Amino acid sequence: MNEPYKGERMTDDPGGRSFAFGSFVLIPQRQLLLQGELPVRIGSRALDILTALAERPGELVSKRELIARVWPSTVVDESNLKVNMAALRRALGDGGPDDARYIATVTGRGYKLIVPVTTGVSPNLAWAPAAGTTRRHNLPTGTTRVIGRADAIDGIRRDFDVARLVSIVGPGGIGKTTVALAVAEHAIGAFRDGAWLVDLALTKDPHQVPSAVAAALGIAGNAAGILATLCKSLRDRQILLVLDSCEQVIEACAACASRILAEAAGVKILVTSREPLQLSGERVRRLPGLGLPPSSEHLTAQEALMFPAVQLFVDRATDRMETFKLRDADATAVAEICRRLDGIALAIELAATRIDAFGVGGLHKQLDNRFRLLVGRRSGPERHRTLAATLDWSYSLLAEREAALLRSVSVFAGVFDIEGAAVVAAMDPAEAADMLAQLSAKSLLVADLDADGIAYRLQETTNSYCQDKLRAGGHEPVARQRHAEHTYVTLERAGSEWAQRPADEWESAYRRVLGDLRAALAWTVKEAPDGPLAIRLTVAGLLLWNQFSLTEECLRHVSHAVEELDAAGLAGTAFEMKLKLWLGCSTMLTREFRHQAMAALRRALAIAEGIGDTDYRLRCLVMIGIYELFTGEHEAGMRTLEEFEAVAGAEDPSVLPEGDVHMGIAELFLGRLPRSRERLERLARRDLRYFGSYAVRYLSDPIVLVRAVLTHVQWLTGSADAAMRTAAVAVDEARQTKHHLSMNNILSYACPVFYWSGAYDECERYVAMLEDHVARHGLVSRRPVASFYAAAVAYARHGSSPDVIFALQRAIGEFRNINHLARMPYYLSVLANALADRGRFAEAESTIRTALDIAAAQHELWCLPEVLRIQAAIAALQGRKTEAAGLLVNALEVATETGALAWRLRVAIDLATLSGDGEEGAAALGIVRAALDEFTEGFATRDLAAAAALVGAQVSAQASD
């Protein structure tokens, strides 16, 4: 179904042409075909063919000319042209060669456009694709006409008026997917967020079903919690979700569909399977075979063509042989062929594609003989035996090289290209291209059109059949080995292109390789667990797992590969270095900051130093420094980062800004706030995009990280408004990078900035974003941050309560459990304050003393004024005002030394409140005034508003006197 683009208006473009014919307008320069004001969904190759025909209306354009025009630098077979011509005719609503309204076939020679064409400049049309327009489907471009299923399609569309789950049920090859895709095409315009296909044909592991759905929708997430993430993401969307070929993982599909339907009210689900999901509210459409003519010896061609099964046979036979026409003399035989094939669409297509080899009579005889030979050899439902027999027959007619290619490509997890097919079949790419086109023309392969040309895939039934043949012939180990090696080469190429290609384009090109990586690893681990190929594949897959936030999957494979290093003879090599670095990183991100992670990082560093790999030496130093800062070893972290700067300065100055960023973090924790702010603001003013391919070299985008850390330093040094603006900008930048750890970092820094400012609504919004992000991507090191600030906001809004105290204690317990000790003195001070407000003074005193001890041990001075302020508040609540005053004076001194103007103002407010009236009170208010005068912004924040109120009250009192 066509849909209007949501985008900018077109303006006249004198440099571009348009071709108007019938109800269509073709604008080649914009790769756009419109019918009325609606764009037509069509592949780029088909558009190129239409452009060539429109440029010469009424003239014959030969097949050779079209192939040279559309595939100028690629060797392709004529079948490629036929596939795209079929897609073009389908898009135009054209009939077959005898019923063409737009494109006529000149048999054996070429094609011509047979309608008048008006040429002009690109018109000022209302609809044009806007940059960044959200995709509304992932449906493949159809290349063949749907025959005989109009009633089923209409019926399913009506089913969705009263139900949210519809299952199309029937045997393999009956046409379930074809019908589902036709329904989904209509749904693109009927659902606000379009229609999305999830191909589960090759999904064998039930646990992968939610991940497959998420991947099809472009929803990234951590495998362990992907179903929850998926449901949350779908909650506000209105889509049709097509779960195709569910039978192998039927229970997992049922569980996934049930939860989605329960939690996402705007989602409707269309299922294709050999059996229903058996869920409440499910509408089941059992798809019969295509309609067949009655048995008759006097059937005419006209009578036979009234039945869909014969229509399909003739349509596919004509695609195969343009001169084919159904004659009266052949009508009975064709009807009998369709009848013997039970009206199964795939079986009829397979038979029709051999019309050029046998003719109708020969085809009937061949098929009849094949069925006789197979009697008694098959078990199971009759229609399944029919399809198996047809596959056997079609396979037996292939040349050995064609059969070998078909068997070999069954090792791919989904779509594959000519290069991959050539590798697994060990043949020349030109020969593979020719054979793939032939196999597609024979309906043994499905051709999918995309921006890069034609990709191929096997239907589920054919794939299973070919895998059986591959296994039975003893060819599977060789094909699997070639597939694994090709996957490795593909991933190496992906790594080299990662920094050069736009993120969306790179993800689109290589997301499908995930399935092949999993398949290749499953085979290599099973057949050669201690072999180097499994390890090389794991190392090559690191980038893919990181890009798609599959941290749990990454950790699992890296852990296994590390165990096999010695047996593979790769201990001490660059492979161990890379694996140990990522073992340390992924353990830190998804598990905890413990000895295992540091040991892995230290080992990687030792190897990098031993083999002279400066790049990985620097990577390891940064990660070790990050580990030390996270675990509160701030002085050690500073020394590690100083070593990084020394090495980078001598070996690779281009990465010095990375060291600067983390030095800024260390200075922040150590209470060297003016120096940290000067360093970070200097970095923020620079164009860090000069990093080029190193944009996320050290796990996080450097620009986002600079801004994230700067938010804290700006707030602490008295620039609250700037801090909140910086946080908002950095969140937007992280969203644009689509780099999940970068987003995780800025959200973690943003939550406290808005909390400290008293902007609780904004804080809650960022907390919710962080909670969702952690759940999606399994980055558990930041989960306690969200938990803590959620509880802190509840404390600020509603006061201390047992629930608030418990929530704060639980969050702090989470920090301790994963050894995330940075900022621990501050977290404990908030808990101590809540305990004191509740009257639990003994616990409050113990907690604040622990906070002070940790601050001293970790040299964590950034928050020490606030910790001392809260210790003073606890003393004051118990009537020890002199002690409280002394603590506040001490806090003022530390705040002044560290440059923490924000904390200094808070301490001054408490001191003025504690001092009351009189000379001491006046002196304390003078301190408040002095601090307040140093601020140039942030006057609407909580602390500055409180300070202004105190000063204002004093002025009012003096005026009244």
Side-chain angles (χ1 to χ4, degrees):
M1 184 173 184
N2 302 330
E3 53 183 303
Y5 281 112
K6 312 299 184 191
E8 302 169 356
R9 292 185 64 83
M10 287 184 183
T11 57
D12 289 343
D13 181 3
R17 297 169 298 165
S18 68
F19 301 94
F21 57 93
S23 59
F24 295 94
V25 175
L26 169 66
I27 309 170
Q29 188 168 325
R30 301 181 187 276
Q31 284 286 287
L32 184 63
L33 177 65
L34 296 169
Q35 185 172 24
E37 289 191 350
L38 301 176
V40 178
R41 194 163 66 85
I42 187 171
S44 60
R45 306 288 187 179
L47 272 173
D48 290 343
I49 293 171
L50 181 58
T51 301
L53 298 175
E55 289 172 347
R56 295 161 56 185
E59 295 182 33
L60 170 68
V61 183
S62 71
K63 295 177 181 178
R64 182 176 298 177
E65 288 178 282
L66 288 171
I67 290 173
R69 168 76 175 267
V70 179
W71 294 275
S73 58
T74 308
V75 177
V76 299
D77 180 81
E78 187 178 306
S79 297
N80 286 274
L81 180 60
K82 288 183 177 180
V83 167
N84 283 276
M85 183 58 72
L88 175 56
R89 280 183 161 142
R90 182 172 183 269
L92 296 175
D94 226 351
D98 294 331
D99 185 30
R101 292 188 298 161
Y102 295 102
I103 299 175
T105 302
V106 180
T107 304
R109 298 176 63 193
Y111 307 90
K112 62 182 177 180
L113 199 60
I114 57 174
V115 291
V117 175
T118 301
T119 305
V121 297
S122 297
N124 182 21
L125 296 169
W127 304 110
T133 298
T134 303
R135 291 178 63 214
R136 297 183 63 208
H137 69 85
N138 66 337
L139 307 181
T141 302
T143 59
T144 56
R145 287 175 287 279
V146 180
I147 294 174
R149 297 303 191 188
D151 289 344
I153 293 166
D154 290 343
I156 292 167
R157 293 178 68 191
R158 288 194 301 272
D159 285 342
F160 278 119
D161 291 337
V162 295
R164 293 178 57 213
L165 172 64
V166 179
S167 292
I168 306 173
V169 174
I174 202 70
K176 301 185 294 293
T177 299
T178 298
V179 171
L181 289 175
V183 172
E185 282 198 21
H186 289 286
I188 294 172
F191 286 74
R192 184 188 68 209
D193 299 301
W196 298 84
L197 172 67
V198 185
D199 184 358
L200 297 167
L202 299 180
T203 302
K204 303 293 194 297
D205 182 356
H207 298 97
Q208 289 292 335
V209 170
S211 295
V213 178
L217 291 164
I219 298 170
N222 172 45
I226 191 62
L227 184 54
T229 298
L230 175 63
C231 292
K232 188 172 183 179
S233 178
L234 291 173
R235 199 164 291 159
D236 297 321
R237 297 171 71 175
Q238 294 179 3
I239 68 169
L240 177 67
L241 193 59
V242 182
L243 305 182
D244 188 37
S245 302
C246 295
E247 50 272 355
Q248 295 186 98
V249 283
I250 191 72
E251 292 184 3
C253 286
C256 183
S258 177
R259 184 160 173 186
I260 290 172
L261 291 170
E263 298 188 24
V267 177
K268 295 186 179 182
I269 299 178
L270 179 60
V271 167
T272 74
S273 178
R274 297 186 187 184
E275 58 181 306
L277 298 188
Q278 297 184 341
L279 294 178
S280 176
E282 178 182 21
R283 296 289 290 262
V284 177
R285 283 271 172 178
R286 295 193 178 275
L287 201 63
L290 292 170
L292 297 160
S295 180
S296 171
E297 295 182 2
H298 306 290
L299 193 66
T300 66
Q302 184 177 2
E303 291 169 340
L305 283 168
M306 295 174 64
F307 296 89
V310 175
Q311 292 170 16
L312 179 64
F313 181 94
V314 172
D315 183 83
R316 302 305 190 256
T318 304
D319 281 346
R320 181 64 177 167
M321 190 171 72
E322 292 174 347
T323 57
F324 178 78
K325 293 182 180 178
L326 184 62
R327 301 175 301 170
D328 288 345
D330 295 326
T332 299
V334 168
E336 180 62 19
I337 290 169
C338 295
R339 194 175 300 109
R340 293 299 303 271
L341 296 175
D342 292 325
I344 298 175
L346 178 57
I348 291 170
E349 289 182 340
L350 290 170
T353 58
R354 302 317 303 244
I355 194 70
D356 56 338
F358 298 107
V360 172
L363 191 62
H364 182 266
K365 183 177 180 180
Q366 284 283 329
L367 195 60
D368 190 55
N369 289 341
R370 170 61 62 179
F371 273 29
R372 283 201 189 95
L373 289 172
L374 291 168
V375 168
R377 289 178 55 193
R378 300 284 185 189
S379 60
E382 179 62 34
R383 278 184 169 151
H384 290 194
R385 296 202 300 272
T386 299
L387 181 56
T390 310
L391 284 167
D392 273 333
W393 171 74
S394 297
Y395 182 82
S396 70
L397 296 174
L398 296 174
E400 176 50 34
R401 294 282 286 172
E402 287 182 315
L405 177 61
L406 192 64
R407 291 193 303 265
S408 298
V409 297
S410 69
V411 298
F412 285 99
V415 299
F416 55 88
D417 56 16
I418 293 170
E419 178 193 0
V423 169
V424 298
M427 62 174 57
D428 181 78
E431 182 185 12
D434 179 65
M435 287 187 182
L436 289 170
Q438 293 292 333
L439 292 168
S440 175
K442 294 170 184 176
S443 292
L444 288 165
L445 285 176
V446 177
D448 286 334
L449 304 180
D450 59 29
D452 297 324
I454 295 183
Y456 296 92
R457 61 182 171 86
L458 286 164
Q459 287 190 330
E460 179 264 334
T461 305
T462 312
N463 182 271
S464 296
Y465 178 90
C466 291
Q467 284 193 359
D468 288 344
K469 287 290 184 183
L470 189 69
R471 202 170 294 117
H475 304 297
E476 185 177 28
V478 173
R480 292 284 181 191
Q481 180 76 14
R482 291 171 182 158
H483 171 258
E485 290 172 351
H486 172 69
T487 301
Y488 173 72
V489 171
T490 302
L491 289 170
E492 287 284 283
R493 182 170 64 244
S496 67
E497 293 179 0
W498 176 63
Q500 281 73 43
R501 299 179 71 174
D504 288 347
E505 183 181 308
W506 188 93
E507 288 190 7
S508 177
Y510 290 108
R511 181 181 288 276
R512 65 179 178 85
V513 185
L514 272 170
D516 287 314
L517 173 61
R518 289 164 178 157
L521 277 172
W523 183 79
T524 53
V525 168
K526 178 182 176 183
E527 298 299 321
D530 56 353
L533 181 55
I535 293 172
R536 292 195 343 253
L537 272 169
T538 303
V539 171
L542 292 171
L543 177 61
L544 213 59
W545 289 315
N546 182 51
Q547 187 71 21
F548 296 111
S549 299
L550 300 170
T551 46
E552 288 285 348
E553 185 174 341
C554 175
L555 180 59
R556 184 171 69 252
H557 286 294
V558 166
S559 299
H560 181 271
V562 164
E563 292 174 358
E564 304 299 333
L565 282 165
D566 288 334
L570 293 175
T573 67
F575 288 105
E576 182 185 3
M577 174 186 70
K578 293 176 180 179
L579 289 170
K580 286 291 175 65
L581 174 63
W582 279 92
L583 178 62
C585 293
S586 56
T587 300
M588 285 165 53
L589 296 173
T590 63
R591 294 290 188 270
E592 57 191 14
F593 297 87
R594 295 291 183 186
H595 173 72
Q596 179 190 16
M598 178 57 93
L601 295 174
R602 292 284 186 198
R603 173 61 177 164
L605 176 61
I607 296 173
E609 291 173 338
I611 66 177
D613 191 322
T614 300
D615 178 27
Y616 267 80
R617 183 183 177 190
L618 291 169
R619 289 174 184 263
C620 292
L621 285 171
V622 163
M623 291 310 305
I624 290 170
I626 290 172
Y627 178 99
E628 289 167 336
L629 294 177
F630 264 100
T631 55
E633 300 177 55
H634 303 316
E635 294 282 7
M638 177 66 83
R639 290 191 295 271
T640 299
L641 293 168
E642 287 170 346
E643 182 182 354
F644 171 92
E645 290 205 326
V647 175
E651 304 285 344
D652 187 2
S654 71
V655 301
L656 281 171
E658 287 283 2
D660 259 353
V661 177
H662 293 91
M663 289 285 278
I665 298 174
E667 289 168 341
L668 161 62
F669 289 149
L670 291 167
R672 304 168 189 174
L673 299 180
R675 187 186 305 177
S676 177
R677 179 164 181 170
E678 187 278 329
R679 183 191 299 272
L680 294 168
E681 288 185 336
R682 184 181 68 244
L683 281 171
R685 288 192 296 268
R686 294 177 62 180
D687 181 10
L688 297 186
R689 292 300 176 194
Y690 80 89
F691 276 119
S693 63
Y694 298 145
V696 284
R697 186 177 184 179
Y698 299 115
L699 292 184
S700 180
D701 182 280
I703 296 173
V704 174
L705 185 58
V706 166
R707 298 200 199 286
V709 184
L710 185 56
T711 60
H712 275 205
V713 181
Q714 285 175 326
W715 192 91
L716 290 166
T717 54
S719 301
D721 289 345
M724 290 186 283
R725 285 195 304 271
T726 301
V729 168
V731 168
D732 286 341
E733 287 178 335
R735 189 177 287 117
Q736 291 170 23
T737 68
K738 297 184 179 178
H739 192 260
H740 305 303
L741 183 57
S742 300
M743 176 62 84
N744 195 260
N745 282 339
I746 179 54
L747 291 175
S748 298
Y749 277 91
C751 292
V753 164
F754 287 97
Y755 173 72
W756 294 334
S757 300
Y760 300 131
D761 288 345
E762 282 296 283
C763 182
E764 285 182 323
R765 187 167 73 85
Y766 284 108
V767 164
M769 290 171 65
L770 181 58
E771 287 174 335
D772 176 68
H773 203 265
V774 167
R776 282 174 182 262
H777 307 299
L779 304 173
V780 299
S781 62
R782 303 291 194 179
R783 183 169 58 204
V785 176
S787 302
F788 178 85
Y789 284 102
V793 169
Y795 173 35
R797 285 191 186 282
H798 309 297
S800 183
S801 70
D803 287 344
V804 162
I805 291 172
F806 176 75
L808 290 171
Q809 289 172 328
R810 183 172 57 189
I812 290 169
E814 280 190 85
F815 281 120
R816 284 175 163 153
N817 287 340
I818 63 174
N819 206 30
H820 184 173
L821 302 181
R823 305 181 184 86
M824 182 58 71
Y826 171 74
Y827 299 140
L828 288 169
S829 72
V830 176
L831 172 60
N833 207 11
L835 288 166
D837 283 351
R838 194 70 186 170
R840 294 162 61 171
F841 295 116
E843 293 173 84
E845 294 273 14
S846 174
T847 302
I848 204 67
R849 281 196 300 271
T850 301
L852 288 165
D853 290 343
I854 293 174
Q858 297 182 176
H859 304 280
E860 193 150 339
L861 298 183
W862 74 275
C863 61
L864 184 57
E866 178 71 349
V867 177
L868 291 169
R869 184 186 72 82
I870 291 174
Q871 185 183 26
I874 295 169
L877 284 171
Q878 297 177 82
R880 305 197 306 268
K881 291 189 176 182
T882 302
E883 179 186 343
L887 289 168
L888 290 172
V889 170
N890 188 14
L892 279 173
E893 292 174 355
V894 177
T896 302
E897 291 171 2
T898 58
L901 178 59
W903 293 149
R904 179 151 61 94
L905 181 66
R906 278 196 184 180
V907 174
I909 292 170
D910 278 16
L911 185 58
T913 304
L914 181 69
S915 300
D917 298 328
E919 291 183 8
E920 288 186 5
L925 276 170
I927 299 173
V928 174
R929 278 178 179 272
L932 195 56
D933 287 344
E934 293 185 37
F935 284 87
T936 58
E937 60 172 272
F939 299 108
T941 59
R942 179 186 62 183
D943 294 337
L944 269 72
L950 269 177
V951 172
Q954 182 192 44
V955 170
S956 298
Q958 290 172 346
S960 65
D961 290 343

